[in-house]
Amino acid sequence: MGRRFRAFYAAAVIAVAALAAATVVALVLEAIGASPWATFRVILTGPLQDRFGITEILVRSVPLILVALGVAISFRSGILNIGAEGQILIGILCATGVALAVPEWPRPVLLPLCLVAGALGGALWGGIAGVLRAKLDVNEILSTVMLNYIAAQLYTFMLRGPLIDPAELMTGSGTPQSMRLPRSAWLERLVPGTRLHSGLLLALVLAGLVWVLLWRTTLGFRMRASGAGSKAARYAGIRVERSLVVAMLLAGGFAGLAGAVEVLGVHHRAIENISSGYGFAAIVVALFGGLHPAGIVPAAIFFGLLLVGADMTQRSAGIPANMVLVLQGAIILAIVSARMYVDDPYARQRAARLLGRFLPGGKAGA
Amino acid sequence: MNEPIRELALEGITKRFPGILACNRVSLEVRRGEALALVGENGAGKSTLMNILAGLYQPDEGSIRVNGEVVRFASPADAFDRGIGMVHQNFMLVPSMTVTENVALGMKALHRRIRLDLKEARRRVLEVSAHHELPVNPDAPVWQLSVGEQQRVELVKTLCLGARLLILDEPTSALTPQETDDLLDRLRRMMAELSIIFISHKLNEVKALSDRVTILRHGEVVFHGSTADHSTAELAALMTGRDVVQPRNEQSGAPGREVLTVRALRVRGDRGNLALDGLDLDVRAGEILGLAGVSGNGQRELADALAGLRPVESGSIRLDGAEIAHASPRRIIDGGMGYVPEDRHHEGIVGPFSVEENLVLKDVGKAGFSRHGFLRPGEIHRNAEELRERFDIRCSSTAAAAGTLSGGNIQKVILARELARGPKALVAVYPTRGVDMGAAEFIHGQLLALRRSSAGILLVSEELEEVMALSDRIAVIYKGRILEVLASRDATRRTLGLLMAGVPLG
């Protein structure tokens, strides 16, 4: 079967899957009395109308890229990190804590320190699940989900207790949020008047580095081998357990870094609902991007568009922004089912034969 | 009881799978009371053809006739209704159930709403087993039975379901030589009432049992004729399309010092039992030590322990003088141990990885293939091209995923990786199981070449022909111990067979 036909087949399956996802969402929209066409138009074109919309897409894509890179590392190494959400929160706490502890330190020291602290915090949180899996064979899906709950409660506690802005206590409003971080710890804005910050550049550089790590270093080779064939890797003398722990440290580190970047670049203080589900959306981004940095970056930007577009529909058409979650769910189902068909040589051959019947003389199956 | 099958014919059967034509207009016929041997290399289309006959696959073209009437089998149940039963190579029995329960599973007639008539099933089992002289204990749980006994249960089960034509897919592959002879005897007696299609690539068994033989190559019938008129050598040539010369150990050269010594080794199996119980073994430089035995007597555990993949309870393993009984796989590999594992698809290669990557799986950290932790793709590629040439690895490109290669070529990838490392000792577990004759010939040649270069080789195999052709000495393993070590020239099929069954010499 020709390479061209295979590419065509994959593209066709994905197109059908996307159409199916859109249909499901259209039905839901219809059911709540909204116009699917208008909604889709707003979601897909609304954010692209002006500079604000476009930069906002990129702002949303930054944490998605960072977390998805970590997810890709973990999935490739054979451990499924579902705990990015919790790791993000720990990253936010660590970055905030450092920035508030030594606010007077000079910017060239403080900013990197905050980023590193966030990454280390996330790495620690992810590493727990990694060590539990490597040493005690605890299923990482269970442990990371449970660690998410712990992180969420810890986060709430910190914002209402030790980290709460003293001003909130004085005025008595008691909003659970930290003090504003010192300016020297902020990531600089790339486009004045928008929220686009230099975290984007960091994310793009790291995407390149992740590619180098996975496909150009011995460490990455061993991690991928552990994920793609743990038994054979073990027979070849590769320490699979070590790969798992390293993968979870890195995955957690990337999520923690995403939290730090989000608080240092966008919000400038720890508040509730910072993550707004990036940890889960990034899993979809990572899968959508084929667990490859070159796919993850565009996938993250596309999901950034969906997120911003969904916000706009809420404002312009009164559609709840949570509809984007329905869209996400539909897309996950579509991807997973589409992959079954893309990878199935039998289905491919049937399609080739079917096509051959409609195109006499065509050589689709040749 | 089904109507007897006087004549069964497959006519022009064609079956396509993605990328391959598994069967191309294959025709064959079997008459009552006849045994037809279906012979061919792996991938020749034997199993596909029989799966079509047993109703598991539907043919793309062609037809099946039973007693002159065209039939269509949409499922195995349809095939059974016409009296066609298949005994698969891997037994289809539920280990935790008794023999009777296993037989009752398939007997639809005994399933009454919510009740299952086990008494009737038990009666049928005893009846069939007495009639065909296939002794089985109807009340024994299957997991307690030996492989030979399980084979009889499969036969009884198939006969209870009313089979008048038995399809046997490589029925002797897991049996000792005595069990094999015994099975062939029983089958010969059963042929008074039944027809048999016998799939095999062991040509001596084909000669012993069948009246006629059909040879498939690349999905097509290349030969059809009477078994008695052709020698095994002729059949082998027809099967592979050329003259086959299986390399033999010429037994020259004196063996050197001991490179692998095992003393009083105790290792637990997966179920916590002592799979190796005080095993002693020596492999010397420049010799091939064949380890013969029925699989399941500790071979797997021994190979795992030698590779550092299974904890050693007690005892010692020395590789070229260095103790490795409790060493990590990495240290054992670096110490000069080569390993061709039993399950080549999962233990030997990382399937989704390219051939290139698999060829450096053990050595990616070595200076040749990486520098300061960074891979050297150029070197990795060059290495792959060189080994591909030297080991005749047939792949579209060295960037192709290793898992997409045929079994024989996967084995060549593994062998290339292990031999290129220049091992002091090599453990090869069932190195030619399931590969075709051409690849087996090549693999045997490579093992003999490694022997000449003064490595010590432990060849674990259940094929007596292979062990006897390649080994300098043959050790027989039985229940976790070495029962006897014989010089290869003193070993006969008979003595080895008895030893494998646990009967000590003299």
Side-chain angles (χ1 to χ4, degrees):
Chain A
M1 219 174 304
R3 190 178 273 263
R4 278 225 326 261
F5 173 75
R6 230 177 301 177
F8 164 77
Y9 174 75
V13 169
I14 289 166
V16 171
L19 202 66
T23 312
V24 170
V25 177
L27 287 175
V28 176
L29 286 169
E30 199 69 54
I32 62 170
S35 152
W37 289 120
T39 312
F40 284 142
R41 212 185 54 237
V42 172
I43 290 181
L44 294 176
T45 64
L48 299 172
Q49 307 287 331
D50 54 16
R51 201 172 64 163
F52 175 78
I54 292 169
T55 56
E56 207 48 27
I57 291 172
L58 295 174
V59 169
R60 299 295 190 99
S61 70
V62 171
L64 288 176
I65 294 175
L66 287 172
V67 178
L69 288 174
V71 169
I73 292 173
S74 74
F75 278 36
R76 289 251 177 210
S77 307
I79 186 161
L80 306 177
N81 178 29
I82 315 291
E85 195 68 19
Q87 293 146 13
I88 291 172
L89 295 178
I90 301 296
I92 297 171
L93 284 181
C94 290
T96 308
V98 168
L100 293 178
V102 287
E104 68 286 355
W105 284 17
R107 178 179 173 78
V109 182
L110 185 60
L111 178 58
L113 194 65
C114 290
L115 292 173
V116 169
L120 283 179
L124 175 81
W125 212 248
I128 295 173
V131 171
L132 284 176
R133 161 80 190 273
K135 297 281 175 207
L136 302 173
D137 207 18
V138 175
N139 183 309
E140 73 277 9
I141 296 178
L142 284 178
S143 62
T144 51
V145 168
M146 293 304 142
L147 283 165
N148 279 347
Y149 288 124
I150 300 174
Q153 296 306 320
L154 183 65
Y155 190 74
T156 309
F157 167 74
M158 292 303 278
L159 288 199
R160 286 168 196 273
L163 275 181
I164 195 167
D165 187 350
E168 294 292 334
L169 293 178
M170 275 193 318
T171 59
S173 58
T175 311
Q177 59 179 23
S178 76
M179 263 167 61
R180 206 170 156 85
L181 304 184
R183 264 182 188 278
S184 53
W186 295 7
L187 286 163
E188 63 262 51
R189 295 266 143 105
L190 291 179
V191 182
T194 70
R195 303 202 297 170
L196 187 60
H197 54 87
S198 55
L200 177 67
L201 304 179
L202 183 67
L204 293 178
V205 169
L206 285 173
L209 288 180
V210 166
W211 180 81
V212 171
L213 169 75
L214 284 177
W215 279 277
R216 281 293 177 268
T217 68
T218 53
L219 178 66
F221 181 95
R222 294 192 176 116
M223 286 164 65
R224 283 190 298 120
S226 305
S230 63
K231 235 176 164 181
R234 200 160 294 165
Y235 275 69
I238 293 169
R239 280 176 289 172
V240 174
E241 282 71 24
R242 201 179 79 139
S243 294
L244 294 180
V245 174
V246 172
M248 277 310 286
L249 286 173
L250 285 171
F254 271 95
L257 181 65
V261 164
E262 196 64 5
V263 74
L264 300 174
V266 179
H267 303 286
H268 302 145
R269 66 166 87 214
I271 55 174
E272 290 201 312
N273 299 323
I274 277 195
S275 167
S276 54
Y278 285 134
F280 298 116
I283 295 172
V284 188
V285 168
L287 290 173
F288 204 58
L291 299 179
H292 192 288
I296 284 173
V297 171
I301 293 173
F302 175 68
F303 271 76
L305 170 74
L306 292 185
L307 290 173
V308 178
D311 280 350
M312 288 189 164
T313 57
Q314 183 164 27
R315 262 172 276 141
S316 67
I319 311 283
N322 284 346
M323 270 309 297
V324 85
L325 293 179
V326 177
L327 187 59
Q328 265 184 28
I331 290 176
I332 295 176
L333 289 176
I335 295 176
V336 175
S337 346
R339 184 161 293 186
M340 295 254 318
Y341 280 97
V342 171
D343 294 343
D344 181 357
Y346 293 84
R348 197 157 57 212
Q349 182 133 10
R350 273 201 301 277
R353 244 181 285 154
L354 204 66
L355 201 67
R357 211 169 295 165
F358 286 113
L359 300 172
K363 50 185 190 64
Chain B
M1 207 39 144
N2 293 313
E3 182 191 2
I5 296 181
R6 290 185 303 277
E7 187 186 46
L8 175 117
L10 297 180
E11 289 167 359
I13 298 284
T14 296
K15 179 74 183 173
R16 292 182 198 87
F17 289 117
I20 43 166
L21 191 55
C23 295
N24 188 11
R25 280 180 274 160
V26 174
S27 301
L28 56 80
E29 56 170 42
V30 193
R31 283 182 291 265
R32 187 175 185 182
E34 185 182 63
L36 173 75
L38 188 59
V39 175
E41 297 197 284
N42 287 292
K46 299 170 303 214
S47 292
T48 306
L49 191 66
M50 288 304 107
N51 282 329
I52 288 173
L53 184 52
L56 283 160
Y57 295 156
Q58 275 68 52
D60 294 334
E61 287 160 31
S63 61
I64 303 173
R65 278 173 198 272
V66 177
N67 297 339
E69 177 194 348
V70 174
V71 290
R72 242 168 217 295
F73 299 148
S75 73
D78 290 354
F80 260 119
D81 288 344
R82 299 307 300 244
I84 297 171
M86 181 159 175
V87 175
H88 292 266
Q89 193 175 358
N90 310 312
F91 303 148
M92 308 279 183
L93 297 170
V94 183
S96 57
M97 289 182 159
T98 66
V99 170
T100 299
E101 286 169 333
N102 265 287
V103 172
L105 275 180
M107 297 177 77
K108 292 275 152 45
L110 302 181
H111 293 250
R112 319 246 156 85
R113 294 240 178 105
I114 58 165
R115 212 176 68 81
L116 178 60
D117 193 349
L118 279 176
K119 271 206 202 98
E120 172 64 15
R122 189 169 184 280
R123 202 186 59 72
R124 289 278 296 148
V125 169
L126 288 172
E127 182 186 296
V128 168
S129 117
H131 182 71
H132 291 285
E133 297 174 54
L134 293 165
V136 295
N137 172 3
D139 306 315
V142 165
W143 63 268
Q144 286 181 347
L145 304 179
S146 75
V147 179
E149 289 171 311
Q150 291 190 28
Q151 178 99 54
R152 288 204 291 273
V153 175
E154 276 285 1
L155 283 171
V156 168
K157 183 177 88 175
T158 311
L159 293 169
C160 281
L161 296 178
R164 309 302 301 258
L165 172 96
L166 277 179
I167 305 171
L168 305 170
D169 191 356
E170 307 209 5
T172 60
S173 59
L175 302 184
T176 62
Q178 274 78 10
E179 284 175 324
T180 300
D181 293 344
D182 180 63
L183 176 72
L184 293 181
D185 257 2
R186 290 179 199 285
L187 290 175
R188 222 173 282 125
R189 262 175 275 147
M190 283 158 60
M191 272 158 52
E193 296 168 39
L194 300 163
S195 317
I196 290 175
I197 298 181
F198 176 73
I199 303 182
S200 183
H201 54 231
K202 294 182 188 165
L203 296 173
N204 48 352
E205 292 168 14
V206 168
K207 286 286 285 182
L209 182 69
S210 69
D211 306 302
R212 289 186 305 125
V213 56
T214 294
I215 299 182
L216 289 182
R217 195 160 75 220
H218 306 307
E220 294 182 32
V221 174
V222 293
F223 172 80
H224 180 80
S226 153
T227 316
D229 300 345
H230 299 272
S231 70
T232 50
E234 282 168 354
L235 296 176
L238 285 163
M239 182 163 125
T240 54
R242 67 200 164 81
D243 288 328
V244 178
V245 189
Q246 286 293 345
R248 296 189 69 85
N249 186 339
E250 70 286 6
Q251 311 252 350
S252 62
R257 66 189 194 294
E258 283 155 2
V259 286
L260 193 60
T261 31
V262 179
R263 286 288 170 270
L265 188 65
R266 286 155 60 92
V267 171
R268 291 203 180 274
D270 290 335
R271 277 171 295 168
N273 53 321
L274 267 183
L276 297 183
D277 191 5
L279 181 131
D280 298 304
L281 199 67
D282 293 297
V283 184
R284 299 186 212 129
E287 81 161 352
I288 295 181
L289 177 70
L291 186 70
V294 179
S295 59
N297 273 292
Q299 292 97 321
R300 180 180 180 79
E301 289 80 4
L302 173 64
D304 279 354
L306 291 177
L309 293 157
R310 197 175 273 273
V312 169
E313 196 97 336
S314 68
S316 116
I317 306 172
R318 284 176 178 276
L319 172 61
D320 203 21
E323 180 63 49
I324 56 164
H326 301 280
S328 69
R330 183 78 252 162
R331 244 194 64 208
I332 295 173
I333 290 166
D334 290 340
M337 178 81 87
Y339 190 34
V340 177
E342 175 179 0
D343 178 354
R344 64 182 75 106
H345 290 98
H346 298 110
E347 299 166 352
I349 57 158
V350 176
F353 267 32
S354 66
V355 172
E356 278 174 34
E357 290 175 307
N358 272 295
L359 285 170
V360 297
L361 203 58
K362 287 189 170 176
D363 286 324
V364 73
K366 297 276 152 60
F369 304 122
S370 63
R371 195 187 289 144
H372 310 304
F374 286 92
L375 302 179
R376 299 170 68 182
E379 290 299 309
I380 291 172
H381 179 71
R382 207 189 43 68
N383 172 65
E385 287 298 336
E386 193 188 307
L387 292 179
R388 176 192 189 177
E389 184 87 7
R390 201 175 120 198
F391 286 86
D392 187 32
I393 299 166
R394 310 221 176 120
C395 51
S396 56
S397 112
T398 53
T404 61
L405 269 50
S406 71
N409 277 301
I410 288 177
Q411 198 69 330
K412 287 181 190 173
V413 169
I414 297 168
L415 211 61
R417 180 181 70 215
E418 299 303 319
L419 298 198
R421 309 183 71 250
K424 290 177 193 160
L426 178 80
V427 177
V429 187
Y430 310 127
T432 57
R433 184 196 263 176
V435 309
D436 62 46
M437 283 182 116
E441 185 184 347
F442 183 84
I443 292 166
H444 287 164
Q446 289 295 330
L447 291 177
L448 289 171
L450 182 68
R451 170 186 175 274
R452 279 193 295 276
S453 72
S454 292
I457 299 166
L458 178 66
L459 171 68
V460 181
S461 178
E462 52 200 4
E463 303 261 358
L464 285 186
E465 280 71 22
E466 179 173 57
V467 172
M468 290 168 68
L470 295 184
S471 311
D472 296 275
R473 295 184 300 144
I474 300 172
V476 180
I477 187 170
Y478 180 73
K479 293 200 171 160
R481 287 180 199 224
I482 300 298
L483 205 57
E484 188 70 60
V485 183
L486 302 168
S488 188
R489 65 181 83 82
D490 301 334
T492 62
R493 273 182 69 82
R494 202 185 122 69
T495 44
L496 288 176
L498 286 170
L499 285 166
M500 283 164 73
V503 182
L505 289 184

